[in-house]
Amino acid sequence: MLGTSLRSGLIGVLLSGLAMGVAQARTLDTAYGEVEIEGTPERVVTLYEGALDTALAAGITPLGAVTTRGGDGVAGYIEAHLDADRPAIMGVVREINIEAVLAQQPDLILAPPRLPQEQFQLLSRIAPTVVPPTQETSRDVWKSEARLFGQALNRENEVNDAIVEVEQRGEELAAALAEADVGGVAYLVRWMPAGPMVMSEHIFSTGIMAAAGLDVEDGDLLNEGGIHSDILSLENLSRVDGDWLFLATLNADGQDALETATQSSAFNRLNVVQQDRVVPVDGQLWTSASGPLAALAILDDIEAALLP
């Protein structure tokens, strides 16, 4: 009788443990179907700037990450969230170093939207690989991507809290700008070595600008679904002459090209230049990054530039 009770107890414990294991497993809907993840991953590699941003916001420093656009390391704003444990570089988002990823022995890989299927298949042989099922460019798609990464990391609450903080901060800044009677039409332009490109009004950073109460436009200069326009001539700069011009450069080459252009009469004829309403911003943050930490950094920039 005693033996039967012990066996029943042990079976109960085993079943309970099995049930807990099943409860901890998560099935995520990704671009390449369902991906199952158990427990809390400890060895994480991010192959997308938005994934690195979200992981850090959730309290996890990845073992590896890709470089930011136009740079040879992570974005400058990310540095403030890193300590001595820095992620190793896994290549660039369009050219991932699979061998470098394998060397990290990850138990989770957070990948960019539209990762080619061939790369997904290779990476999936290393560790569960999460690719957001992003289909189109939109201002708020970063939130669904961040929540998916939060599920994968088993840090849903931390990521949701970070998103709520961004939304509250945007509302507070919008109210402060309205009270100061500051606002109007704003454009975001990225200055490349070949010249300026206006960024879409439907991307991450222009969505953050809109959340702060700015009327963001792109001058109807983009093809449908595009992220930015073709290179504009200096004569066409008048089409982005609003109340505010946020001017981004990615690196020293872009900055040199911008400094040359600012000496031209076409640039100096802009009303926004004459009213001293051109706001220089970091292109790595404003035109390449995404995620809750990037959103807060952009809101910081807007507040510093626009509030008296």
Side-chain angles (χ1 to χ4, degrees), residues 185-187 189 191 196 198 217-221 231-245 247 264-274:
V185 174
Y187 292 89
V189 167
W191 210 287
V198 63
E217 298 184 6
D218 56 26
D220 295 326
L221 291 164
I231 298 291
L232 302 176
S233 67
L234 290 181
E235 289 70 23
N236 275 339
L237 274 180
S238 59
R239 297 181 66 175
V240 296
D241 193 6
D243 297 296
W244 296 95
L245 177 59
L247 211 45
S264 70
S265 57
F267 187 87
N268 286 288
R269 277 199 300 270
L270 297 176
N271 290 324
V272 72
V273 173
Q274 294 178 8

PDB file of all heavy atoms in Angstrom, residues 185-187 189 191 196 198 217-221 231-245 247 264-274:
ATOM      1  N   VAL A 185       4.669  71.358 -39.881  1.00  0.00           N
ATOM      2  CA  VAL A 185       5.066  70.313 -40.826  1.00  0.00           C
ATOM      3  C   VAL A 185       6.572  70.048 -40.696  1.00  0.00           C
ATOM      4  O   VAL A 185       7.380  70.981 -40.695  1.00  0.00           O
ATOM      5  CB  VAL A 185       4.728  70.729 -42.262  1.00  0.00           C
ATOM      6  CG1 VAL A 185       5.264  69.702 -43.258  1.00  0.00           C
ATOM      7  CG2 VAL A 185       3.218  70.897 -42.419  1.00  0.00           C
ATOM      8  N   ALA A 186       6.907  68.766 -40.594  1.00  0.00           N
ATOM      9  CA  ALA A 186       8.313  68.386 -40.438  1.00  0.00           C
ATOM     10  C   ALA A 186       8.693  67.344 -41.484  1.00  0.00           C
ATOM     11  O   ALA A 186       7.878  66.501 -41.867  1.00  0.00           O
ATOM     12  CB  ALA A 186       8.549  67.829 -39.029  1.00  0.00           C
ATOM     13  N   TYR A 187       9.916  67.411 -41.946  1.00  0.00           N
ATOM     14  CA  TYR A 187      10.473  66.434 -42.877  1.00  0.00           C
ATOM     15  C   TYR A 187      11.727  65.831 -42.257  1.00  0.00           C
ATOM     16  O   TYR A 187      12.445  66.498 -41.498  1.00  0.00           O
ATOM     17  CB  TYR A 187      10.862  67.093 -44.201  1.00  0.00           C
ATOM     18  CG  TYR A 187       9.687  67.587 -45.014  1.00  0.00           C
ATOM     19  CD1 TYR A 187       9.184  68.886 -44.832  1.00  0.00           C
ATOM     20  CD2 TYR A 187       9.088  66.775 -45.970  1.00  0.00           C
ATOM     21  CE1 TYR A 187       8.111  69.353 -45.573  1.00  0.00           C
ATOM     22  CE2 TYR A 187       8.010  67.234 -46.724  1.00  0.00           C
ATOM     23  CZ  TYR A 187       7.521  68.522 -46.515  1.00  0.00           C
ATOM     24  OH  TYR A 187       6.456  68.978 -47.256  1.00  0.00           O
ATOM     25  N   VAL A 189      15.206  64.155 -43.585  1.00  0.00           N
ATOM     26  CA  VAL A 189      16.048  63.967 -44.774  1.00  0.00           C
ATOM     27  C   VAL A 189      17.368  63.335 -44.355  1.00  0.00           C
ATOM     28  O   VAL A 189      17.978  63.764 -43.367  1.00  0.00           O
ATOM     29  CB  VAL A 189      16.293  65.316 -45.484  1.00  0.00           C
ATOM     30  CG1 VAL A 189      17.417  65.188 -46.520  1.00  0.00           C
ATOM     31  CG2 VAL A 189      15.018  65.804 -46.147  1.00  0.00           C
ATOM     32  N   TRP A 191      21.159  62.769 -45.555  1.00  0.00           N
ATOM     33  CA  TRP A 191      22.112  63.300 -46.530  1.00  0.00           C
ATOM     34  C   TRP A 191      23.204  62.292 -46.751  1.00  0.00           C
ATOM     35  O   TRP A 191      23.986  62.010 -45.860  1.00  0.00           O
ATOM     36  CB  TRP A 191      22.705  64.628 -46.048  1.00  0.00           C
ATOM     37  CG  TRP A 191      23.046  65.509 -47.209  1.00  0.00           C
ATOM     38  CD1 TRP A 191      24.071  65.352 -48.080  1.00  0.00           C
ATOM     39  CD2 TRP A 191      22.325  66.666 -47.650  1.00  0.00           C
ATOM     40  NE1 TRP A 191      24.056  66.323 -49.039  1.00  0.00           N
ATOM     41  CE2 TRP A 191      22.989  67.155 -48.797  1.00  0.00           C
ATOM     42  CE3 TRP A 191      21.185  67.330 -47.193  1.00  0.00           C
ATOM     43  CZ2 TRP A 191      22.554  68.283 -49.486  1.00  0.00           C
ATOM     44  CZ3 TRP A 191      20.766  68.449 -47.884  1.00  0.00           C
ATOM     45  CH2 TRP A 191      21.442  68.916 -49.017  1.00  0.00           C
ATOM     46  N   PRO A 196      20.822  64.438 -50.940  1.00  0.00           N
ATOM     47  CA  PRO A 196      19.767  64.215 -49.948  1.00  0.00           C
ATOM     48  C   PRO A 196      18.661  63.269 -50.416  1.00  0.00           C
ATOM     49  O   PRO A 196      18.325  63.232 -51.602  1.00  0.00           O
ATOM     50  CB  PRO A 196      19.202  65.618 -49.735  1.00  0.00           C
ATOM     51  CG  PRO A 196      19.394  66.285 -51.069  1.00  0.00           C
ATOM     52  CD  PRO A 196      20.668  65.725 -51.651  1.00  0.00           C
ATOM     53  N   VAL A 198      14.658  62.193 -49.001  1.00  0.00           N
ATOM     54  CA  VAL A 198      13.621  62.379 -47.988  1.00  0.00           C
ATOM     55  C   VAL A 198      13.132  61.004 -47.541  1.00  0.00           C
ATOM     56  O   VAL A 198      12.926  60.104 -48.350  1.00  0.00           O
ATOM     57  CB  VAL A 198      12.462  63.253 -48.511  1.00  0.00           C
ATOM     58  CG1 VAL A 198      11.760  62.600 -49.685  1.00  0.00           C
ATOM     59  CG2 VAL A 198      11.451  63.523 -47.391  1.00  0.00           C
ATOM     60  N   GLU A 217       5.619  64.811 -43.113  1.00  0.00           N
ATOM     61  CA  GLU A 217       5.312  64.574 -44.523  1.00  0.00           C
ATOM     62  C   GLU A 217       6.578  64.122 -45.250  1.00  0.00           C
ATOM     63  O   GLU A 217       7.687  64.267 -44.735  1.00  0.00           O
ATOM     64  CB  GLU A 217       4.750  65.856 -45.166  1.00  0.00           C
ATOM     65  CG  GLU A 217       3.450  66.329 -44.530  1.00  0.00           C
ATOM     66  CD  GLU A 217       2.865  67.543 -45.245  1.00  0.00           C
ATOM     67  OE1 GLU A 217       3.412  67.933 -46.299  1.00  0.00           O
ATOM     68  OE2 GLU A 217       1.871  68.091 -44.733  1.00  0.00           O
ATOM     69  N   ASP A 218       6.373  63.581 -46.473  1.00  0.00           N
ATOM     70  CA  ASP A 218       7.528  63.184 -47.288  1.00  0.00           C
ATOM     71  C   ASP A 218       7.481  63.784 -48.685  1.00  0.00           C
ATOM     72  O   ASP A 218       8.244  63.391 -49.575  1.00  0.00           O
ATOM     73  CB  ASP A 218       7.673  61.666 -47.348  1.00  0.00           C
ATOM     74  CG  ASP A 218       6.409  60.970 -47.864  1.00  0.00           C
ATOM     75  OD1 ASP A 218       5.640  61.600 -48.603  1.00  0.00           O
ATOM     76  OD2 ASP A 218       6.203  59.798 -47.511  1.00  0.00           O
ATOM     77  N   GLY A 219       6.565  64.737 -48.896  1.00  0.00           N
ATOM     78  CA  GLY A 219       6.514  65.465 -50.150  1.00  0.00           C
ATOM     79  C   GLY A 219       6.048  64.652 -51.341  1.00  0.00           C
ATOM     80  O   GLY A 219       6.227  65.071 -52.490  1.00  0.00           O
ATOM     81  N   ASP A 220       5.439  63.487 -51.092  1.00  0.00           N
ATOM     82  CA  ASP A 220       5.004  62.600 -52.187  1.00  0.00           C
ATOM     83  C   ASP A 220       6.146  62.324 -53.163  1.00  0.00           C
ATOM     84  O   ASP A 220       5.947  62.256 -54.381  1.00  0.00           O
ATOM     85  CB  ASP A 220       3.808  63.226 -52.940  1.00  0.00           C
ATOM     86  CG  ASP A 220       2.578  63.330 -52.063  1.00  0.00           C
ATOM     87  OD1 ASP A 220       2.389  62.434 -51.215  1.00  0.00           O
ATOM     88  OD2 ASP A 220       1.820  64.307 -52.225  1.00  0.00           O
ATOM     89  N   LEU A 221       7.338  62.142 -52.633  1.00  0.00           N
ATOM     90  CA  LEU A 221       8.518  61.928 -53.465  1.00  0.00           C
ATOM     91  C   LEU A 221       8.959  60.470 -53.501  1.00  0.00           C
ATOM     92  O   LEU A 221       9.992  60.149 -54.072  1.00  0.00           O
ATOM     93  CB  LEU A 221       9.676  62.796 -52.943  1.00  0.00           C
ATOM     94  CG  LEU A 221       9.497  64.309 -53.147  1.00  0.00           C
ATOM     95  CD1 LEU A 221      10.464  65.092 -52.282  1.00  0.00           C
ATOM     96  CD2 LEU A 221       9.715  64.647 -54.620  1.00  0.00           C
ATOM     97  N   ILE A 231      17.748  60.218 -54.789  1.00  0.00           N
ATOM     98  CA  ILE A 231      18.530  61.414 -54.456  1.00  0.00           C
ATOM     99  C   ILE A 231      17.861  62.644 -55.070  1.00  0.00           C
ATOM    100  O   ILE A 231      17.523  62.667 -56.255  1.00  0.00           O
ATOM    101  CB  ILE A 231      19.970  61.294 -54.982  1.00  0.00           C
ATOM    102  CG1 ILE A 231      20.683  60.108 -54.311  1.00  0.00           C
ATOM    103  CG2 ILE A 231      20.738  62.596 -54.767  1.00  0.00           C
ATOM    104  CD1 ILE A 231      20.964  60.298 -52.847  1.00  0.00           C
ATOM    105  N   LEU A 232      17.657  63.668 -54.247  1.00  0.00           N
ATOM    106  CA  LEU A 232      17.038  64.904 -54.722  1.00  0.00           C
ATOM    107  C   LEU A 232      18.117  65.858 -55.235  1.00  0.00           C
ATOM    108  O   LEU A 232      19.225  65.903 -54.683  1.00  0.00           O
ATOM    109  CB  LEU A 232      16.278  65.597 -53.592  1.00  0.00           C
ATOM    110  CG  LEU A 232      15.164  64.811 -52.894  1.00  0.00           C
ATOM    111  CD1 LEU A 232      14.599  65.642 -51.739  1.00  0.00           C
ATOM    112  CD2 LEU A 232      14.068  64.469 -53.883  1.00  0.00           C
ATOM    113  N   SER A 233      17.772  66.608 -56.250  1.00  0.00           N
ATOM    114  CA  SER A 233      18.664  67.695 -56.654  1.00  0.00           C
ATOM    115  C   SER A 233      18.519  68.822 -55.637  1.00  0.00           C
ATOM    116  O   SER A 233      17.512  68.918 -54.925  1.00  0.00           O
ATOM    117  CB  SER A 233      18.294  68.195 -58.047  1.00  0.00           C
ATOM    118  OG  SER A 233      17.013  68.814 -58.010  1.00  0.00           O
ATOM    119  N   LEU A 234      19.511  69.690 -55.568  1.00  0.00           N
ATOM    120  CA  LEU A 234      19.416  70.809 -54.625  1.00  0.00           C
ATOM    121  C   LEU A 234      18.219  71.696 -54.976  1.00  0.00           C
ATOM    122  O   LEU A 234      17.576  72.271 -54.092  1.00  0.00           O
ATOM    123  CB  LEU A 234      20.708  71.627 -54.660  1.00  0.00           C
ATOM    124  CG  LEU A 234      21.951  70.930 -54.064  1.00  0.00           C
ATOM    125  CD1 LEU A 234      23.161  71.854 -54.136  1.00  0.00           C
ATOM    126  CD2 LEU A 234      21.698  70.519 -52.612  1.00  0.00           C
ATOM    127  N   GLU A 235      17.898  71.780 -56.276  1.00  0.00           N
ATOM    128  CA  GLU A 235      16.749  72.599 -56.689  1.00  0.00           C
ATOM    129  C   GLU A 235      15.442  72.029 -56.141  1.00  0.00           C
ATOM    130  O   GLU A 235      14.509  72.763 -55.834  1.00  0.00           O
ATOM    131  CB  GLU A 235      16.685  72.675 -58.217  1.00  0.00           C
ATOM    132  CG  GLU A 235      17.771  73.511 -58.865  1.00  0.00           C
ATOM    133  CD  GLU A 235      19.151  72.868 -58.778  1.00  0.00           C
ATOM    134  OE1 GLU A 235      19.198  71.631 -58.624  1.00  0.00           O
ATOM    135  OE2 GLU A 235      20.149  73.594 -58.828  1.00  0.00           O
ATOM    136  N   ASN A 236      15.371  70.693 -55.986  1.00  0.00           N
ATOM    137  CA  ASN A 236      14.141  70.056 -55.486  1.00  0.00           C
ATOM    138  C   ASN A 236      14.034  70.078 -53.962  1.00  0.00           C
ATOM    139  O   ASN A 236      13.055  69.589 -53.400  1.00  0.00           O
ATOM    140  CB  ASN A 236      14.057  68.608 -55.965  1.00  0.00           C
ATOM    141  CG  ASN A 236      13.453  68.516 -57.354  1.00  0.00           C
ATOM    142  OD1 ASN A 236      12.757  69.428 -57.795  1.00  0.00           O
ATOM    143  ND2 ASN A 236      13.747  67.443 -58.061  1.00  0.00           N
ATOM    144  N   LEU A 237      15.029  70.669 -53.313  1.00  0.00           N
ATOM    145  CA  LEU A 237      14.956  70.754 -51.851  1.00  0.00           C
ATOM    146  C   LEU A 237      13.755  71.570 -51.392  1.00  0.00           C
ATOM    147  O   LEU A 237      13.259  71.390 -50.270  1.00  0.00           O
ATOM    148  CB  LEU A 237      16.238  71.409 -51.296  1.00  0.00           C
ATOM    149  CG  LEU A 237      17.423  70.479 -51.044  1.00  0.00           C
ATOM    150  CD1 LEU A 237      18.599  71.282 -50.513  1.00  0.00           C
ATOM    151  CD2 LEU A 237      17.037  69.392 -50.045  1.00  0.00           C
ATOM    152  N   SER A 238      13.268  72.475 -52.261  1.00  0.00           N
ATOM    153  CA  SER A 238      12.128  73.316 -51.877  1.00  0.00           C
ATOM    154  C   SER A 238      10.893  72.464 -51.580  1.00  0.00           C
ATOM    155  O   SER A 238       9.976  72.921 -50.893  1.00  0.00           O
ATOM    156  CB  SER A 238      11.811  74.325 -52.981  1.00  0.00           C
ATOM    157  OG  SER A 238      11.502  73.645 -54.188  1.00  0.00           O
ATOM    158  N   ARG A 239      10.875  71.210 -52.070  1.00  0.00           N
ATOM    159  CA  ARG A 239       9.711  70.342 -51.841  1.00  0.00           C
ATOM    160  C   ARG A 239       9.697  69.776 -50.416  1.00  0.00           C
ATOM    161  O   ARG A 239       8.743  69.117 -50.012  1.00  0.00           O
ATOM    162  CB  ARG A 239       9.701  69.215 -52.872  1.00  0.00           C
ATOM    163  CG  ARG A 239       9.541  69.764 -54.298  1.00  0.00           C
ATOM    164  CD  ARG A 239       9.503  68.661 -55.323  1.00  0.00           C
ATOM    165  NE  ARG A 239       8.313  67.803 -55.200  1.00  0.00           N
ATOM    166  CZ  ARG A 239       8.015  66.842 -56.046  1.00  0.00           C
ATOM    167  NH1 ARG A 239       8.818  66.626 -57.089  1.00  0.00           N
ATOM    168  NH2 ARG A 239       6.940  66.101 -55.870  1.00  0.00           N
ATOM    169  N   VAL A 240      10.773  69.975 -49.665  1.00  0.00           N
ATOM    170  CA  VAL A 240      10.788  69.536 -48.262  1.00  0.00           C
ATOM    171  C   VAL A 240      11.017  70.743 -47.355  1.00  0.00           C
ATOM    172  O   VAL A 240      11.628  70.631 -46.286  1.00  0.00           O
ATOM    173  CB  VAL A 240      11.852  68.446 -48.011  1.00  0.00           C
ATOM    174  CG1 VAL A 240      11.518  67.192 -48.793  1.00  0.00           C
ATOM    175  CG2 VAL A 240      13.252  68.929 -48.389  1.00  0.00           C
ATOM    176  N   ASP A 241      10.516  71.895 -47.802  1.00  0.00           N
ATOM    177  CA  ASP A 241      10.712  73.140 -47.059  1.00  0.00           C
ATOM    178  C   ASP A 241       9.506  73.396 -46.151  1.00  0.00           C
ATOM    179  O   ASP A 241       8.599  74.148 -46.491  1.00  0.00           O
ATOM    180  CB  ASP A 241      10.904  74.296 -48.047  1.00  0.00           C
ATOM    181  CG  ASP A 241      11.428  75.543 -47.349  1.00  0.00           C
ATOM    182  OD1 ASP A 241      11.738  75.458 -46.144  1.00  0.00           O
ATOM    183  OD2 ASP A 241      11.529  76.588 -48.013  1.00  0.00           O
ATOM    184  N   GLY A 242       9.467  72.753 -45.011  1.00  0.00           N
ATOM    185  CA  GLY A 242       8.336  72.893 -44.085  1.00  0.00           C
ATOM    186  C   GLY A 242       8.687  73.780 -42.910  1.00  0.00           C
ATOM    187  O   GLY A 242       9.468  74.729 -43.023  1.00  0.00           O
ATOM    188  N   ASP A 243       8.094  73.469 -41.768  1.00  0.00           N
ATOM    189  CA  ASP A 243       8.383  74.241 -40.551  1.00  0.00           C
ATOM    190  C   ASP A 243       9.638  73.737 -39.847  1.00  0.00           C
ATOM    191  O   ASP A 243      10.292  74.493 -39.124  1.00  0.00           O
ATOM    192  CB  ASP A 243       7.191  74.141 -39.595  1.00  0.00           C
ATOM    193  CG  ASP A 243       5.938  74.744 -40.183  1.00  0.00           C
ATOM    194  OD1 ASP A 243       5.929  75.955 -40.432  1.00  0.00           O
ATOM    195  OD2 ASP A 243       4.977  73.985 -40.415  1.00  0.00           O
ATOM    196  N   TRP A 244       9.936  72.437 -40.014  1.00  0.00           N
ATOM    197  CA  TRP A 244      11.119  71.847 -39.391  1.00  0.00           C
ATOM    198  C   TRP A 244      11.761  70.871 -40.365  1.00  0.00           C
ATOM    199  O   TRP A 244      11.058  70.142 -41.071  1.00  0.00           O
ATOM    200  CB  TRP A 244      10.746  71.090 -38.099  1.00  0.00           C
ATOM    201  CG  TRP A 244      10.186  71.986 -37.036  1.00  0.00           C
ATOM    202  CD1 TRP A 244       8.866  72.230 -36.783  1.00  0.00           C
ATOM    203  CD2 TRP A 244      10.929  72.769 -36.102  1.00  0.00           C
ATOM    204  NE1 TRP A 244       8.736  73.119 -35.751  1.00  0.00           N
ATOM    205  CE2 TRP A 244       9.987  73.468 -35.296  1.00  0.00           C
ATOM    206  CE3 TRP A 244      12.279  72.955 -35.846  1.00  0.00           C
ATOM    207  CZ2 TRP A 244      10.369  74.328 -34.268  1.00  0.00           C
ATOM    208  CZ3 TRP A 244      12.673  73.800 -34.814  1.00  0.00           C
ATOM    209  CH2 TRP A 244      11.712  74.478 -34.045  1.00  0.00           C
ATOM    210  N   LEU A 245      13.080  70.865 -40.396  1.00  0.00           N
ATOM    211  CA  LEU A 245      13.814  69.917 -41.231  1.00  0.00           C
ATOM    212  C   LEU A 245      14.818  69.175 -40.348  1.00  0.00           C
ATOM    213  O   LEU A 245      15.775  69.776 -39.839  1.00  0.00           O
ATOM    214  CB  LEU A 245      14.545  70.653 -42.362  1.00  0.00           C
ATOM    215  CG  LEU A 245      15.427  69.787 -43.274  1.00  0.00           C
ATOM    216  CD1 LEU A 245      14.605  68.692 -43.942  1.00  0.00           C
ATOM    217  CD2 LEU A 245      16.128  70.657 -44.326  1.00  0.00           C
ATOM    218  N   LEU A 247      17.731  66.741 -40.227  1.00  0.00           N
ATOM    219  CA  LEU A 247      18.742  66.421 -41.227  1.00  0.00           C
ATOM    220  C   LEU A 247      19.716  65.396 -40.662  1.00  0.00           C
ATOM    221  O   LEU A 247      20.447  65.662 -39.716  1.00  0.00           O
ATOM    222  CB  LEU A 247      19.479  67.714 -41.600  1.00  0.00           C
ATOM    223  CG  LEU A 247      20.026  67.860 -43.006  1.00  0.00           C
ATOM    224  CD1 LEU A 247      19.036  67.427 -44.067  1.00  0.00           C
ATOM    225  CD2 LEU A 247      20.451  69.312 -43.236  1.00  0.00           C
ATOM    226  N   SER A 264      25.660  76.248 -50.479  1.00  0.00           N
ATOM    227  CA  SER A 264      24.993  76.584 -51.740  1.00  0.00           C
ATOM    228  C   SER A 264      23.832  77.535 -51.507  1.00  0.00           C
ATOM    229  O   SER A 264      23.217  77.563 -50.430  1.00  0.00           O
ATOM    230  CB  SER A 264      24.473  75.311 -52.413  1.00  0.00           C
ATOM    231  OG  SER A 264      23.387  74.786 -51.666  1.00  0.00           O
ATOM    232  N   SER A 265      23.533  78.322 -52.561  1.00  0.00           N
ATOM    233  CA  SER A 265      22.411  79.261 -52.458  1.00  0.00           C
ATOM    234  C   SER A 265      21.086  78.517 -52.390  1.00  0.00           C
ATOM    235  O   SER A 265      20.148  78.963 -51.719  1.00  0.00           O
ATOM    236  CB  SER A 265      22.431  80.222 -53.649  1.00  0.00           C
ATOM    237  OG  SER A 265      22.392  79.485 -54.858  1.00  0.00           O
ATOM    238  N   ALA A 266      20.974  77.351 -53.076  1.00  0.00           N
ATOM    239  CA  ALA A 266      19.716  76.589 -53.064  1.00  0.00           C
ATOM    240  C   ALA A 266      19.368  76.158 -51.640  1.00  0.00           C
ATOM    241  O   ALA A 266      18.196  76.202 -51.233  1.00  0.00           O
ATOM    242  CB  ALA A 266      19.840  75.368 -53.970  1.00  0.00           C
ATOM    243  N   PHE A 267      20.361  75.754 -50.884  1.00  0.00           N
ATOM    244  CA  PHE A 267      20.113  75.331 -49.507  1.00  0.00           C
ATOM    245  C   PHE A 267      19.746  76.533 -48.643  1.00  0.00           C
ATOM    246  O   PHE A 267      18.798  76.485 -47.849  1.00  0.00           O
ATOM    247  CB  PHE A 267      21.355  74.632 -48.948  1.00  0.00           C
ATOM    248  CG  PHE A 267      21.160  74.017 -47.589  1.00  0.00           C
ATOM    249  CD1 PHE A 267      20.669  72.728 -47.457  1.00  0.00           C
ATOM    250  CD2 PHE A 267      21.459  74.734 -46.432  1.00  0.00           C
ATOM    251  CE1 PHE A 267      20.479  72.160 -46.204  1.00  0.00           C
ATOM    252  CE2 PHE A 267      21.273  74.173 -45.173  1.00  0.00           C
ATOM    253  CZ  PHE A 267      20.782  72.884 -45.063  1.00  0.00           C
ATOM    254  N   ASN A 268      20.481  77.592 -48.813  1.00  0.00           N
ATOM    255  CA  ASN A 268      20.265  78.747 -47.938  1.00  0.00           C
ATOM    256  C   ASN A 268      19.011  79.544 -48.274  1.00  0.00           C
ATOM    257  O   ASN A 268      18.594  80.382 -47.490  1.00  0.00           O
ATOM    258  CB  ASN A 268      21.506  79.652 -47.978  1.00  0.00           C
ATOM    259  CG  ASN A 268      22.663  79.042 -47.205  1.00  0.00           C
ATOM    260  OD1 ASN A 268      22.649  79.005 -45.987  1.00  0.00           O
ATOM    261  ND2 ASN A 268      23.650  78.534 -47.933  1.00  0.00           N
ATOM    262  N   ARG A 269      18.411  79.262 -49.451  1.00  0.00           N
ATOM    263  CA  ARG A 269      17.145  79.920 -49.783  1.00  0.00           C
ATOM    264  C   ARG A 269      15.956  79.293 -49.070  1.00  0.00           C
ATOM    265  O   ARG A 269      14.883  79.895 -49.010  1.00  0.00           O
ATOM    266  CB  ARG A 269      16.900  79.842 -51.304  1.00  0.00           C
ATOM    267  CG  ARG A 269      17.608  80.901 -52.118  1.00  0.00           C
ATOM    268  CD  ARG A 269      16.977  81.048 -53.492  1.00  0.00           C
ATOM    269  NE  ARG A 269      17.009  79.823 -54.267  1.00  0.00           N
ATOM    270  CZ  ARG A 269      18.000  79.473 -55.089  1.00  0.00           C
ATOM    271  NH1 ARG A 269      19.030  80.271 -55.251  1.00  0.00           N
ATOM    272  NH2 ARG A 269      17.950  78.337 -55.763  1.00  0.00           N
ATOM    273  N   LEU A 270      16.118  78.104 -48.515  1.00  0.00           N
ATOM    274  CA  LEU A 270      14.992  77.442 -47.841  1.00  0.00           C
ATOM    275  C   LEU A 270      14.505  78.272 -46.660  1.00  0.00           C
ATOM    276  O   LEU A 270      15.301  78.794 -45.872  1.00  0.00           O
ATOM    277  CB  LEU A 270      15.422  76.053 -47.359  1.00  0.00           C
ATOM    278  CG  LEU A 270      15.845  75.029 -48.413  1.00  0.00           C
ATOM    279  CD1 LEU A 270      16.327  73.752 -47.735  1.00  0.00           C
ATOM    280  CD2 LEU A 270      14.672  74.721 -49.353  1.00  0.00           C
ATOM    281  N   ASN A 271      13.191  78.383 -46.553  1.00  0.00           N
ATOM    282  CA  ASN A 271      12.616  79.112 -45.420  1.00  0.00           C
ATOM    283  C   ASN A 271      13.037  78.497 -44.090  1.00  0.00           C
ATOM    284  O   ASN A 271      13.297  79.206 -43.120  1.00  0.00           O
ATOM    285  CB  ASN A 271      11.083  79.125 -45.522  1.00  0.00           C
ATOM    286  CG  ASN A 271      10.597  79.990 -46.654  1.00  0.00           C
ATOM    287  OD1 ASN A 271      11.192  81.032 -46.943  1.00  0.00           O
ATOM    288  ND2 ASN A 271       9.530  79.567 -47.301  1.00  0.00           N
ATOM    289  N   VAL A 272      13.092  77.161 -44.075  1.00  0.00           N
ATOM    290  CA  VAL A 272      13.402  76.483 -42.828  1.00  0.00           C
ATOM    291  C   VAL A 272      14.853  76.765 -42.397  1.00  0.00           C
ATOM    292  O   VAL A 272      15.151  76.807 -41.207  1.00  0.00           O
ATOM    293  CB  VAL A 272      13.138  74.963 -42.980  1.00  0.00           C
ATOM    294  CG1 VAL A 272      14.192  74.302 -43.855  1.00  0.00           C
ATOM    295  CG2 VAL A 272      13.032  74.290 -41.642  1.00  0.00           C
ATOM    296  N   VAL A 273      15.730  77.018 -43.367  1.00  0.00           N
ATOM    297  CA  VAL A 273      17.114  77.396 -43.048  1.00  0.00           C
ATOM    298  C   VAL A 273      17.142  78.824 -42.521  1.00  0.00           C
ATOM    299  O   VAL A 273      17.793  79.137 -41.514  1.00  0.00           O
ATOM    300  CB  VAL A 273      18.016  77.239 -44.287  1.00  0.00           C
ATOM    301  CG1 VAL A 273      19.418  77.793 -44.012  1.00  0.00           C
ATOM    302  CG2 VAL A 273      18.097  75.784 -44.714  1.00  0.00           C
ATOM    303  N   GLN A 274      16.437  79.703 -43.219  1.00  0.00           N
ATOM    304  CA  GLN A 274      16.442  81.122 -42.824  1.00  0.00           C
ATOM    305  C   GLN A 274      15.818  81.322 -41.444  1.00  0.00           C
ATOM    306  O   GLN A 274      16.166  82.269 -40.735  1.00  0.00           O
ATOM    307  CB  GLN A 274      15.707  81.942 -43.873  1.00  0.00           C
ATOM    308  CG  GLN A 274      16.432  81.960 -45.222  1.00  0.00           C
ATOM    309  CD  GLN A 274      15.702  82.736 -46.297  1.00  0.00           C
ATOM    310  OE1 GLN A 274      14.696  83.409 -46.021  1.00  0.00           O
ATOM    311  NE2 GLN A 274      16.183  82.641 -47.527  1.00  0.00           N
TER     312      GLN A 274
END
